[in-house]
Amino acid sequence: MRGVIGFIVALQGALGFLGQVFTDGNGWGVLPNWVDLSPAVYLAIAALGLALLGWDEADRRKKRAASAGKGN
């Protein structure tokens, strides 16, 4: 579940950043409709989402390695 949430958060952060920096100043995605944030905050939100994705993937690999070790 962390991976799905991380993907959504990273996507919203990236869309908000790209929309503000490369267009007329309006962010893309859902977040700009609710709050007015700076591009740096959108980058931080995207980094948080990527961290959640990384945490989920590391946890998956750890569980996979533990289950493979039990089978031997």
Side-chain angles (χ1 to χ4, degrees):
M1 189 66 174
R2 276 186 307 244
V4 173
I5 293 171
F7 178 77
I8 293 169
V9 169
L11 185 64
Q12 289 301 313
L15 287 173
F17 174 76
L18 292 172
Q20 280 193 346
V21 172
F22 295 112
T23 62
D24 59 355
N26 294 330
W28 299 331
V30 175
L31 284 178
N33 293 327
W34 296 334
V35 291
D36 186 26
L37 302 172
S38 70
V41 176
Y42 283 116
L43 276 181
I45 290 170
L48 174 67
L50 291 175
L52 283 173
L53 277 170
W55 182 17
D56 185 55
E57 185 61 31
D59 196 31
R60 260 189 227 174
R61 288 183 184 184
K62 197 181 304 180
K63 287 179 184 177
R64 202 174 301 142
S67 67
K70 289 180 185 178
N72 290 336

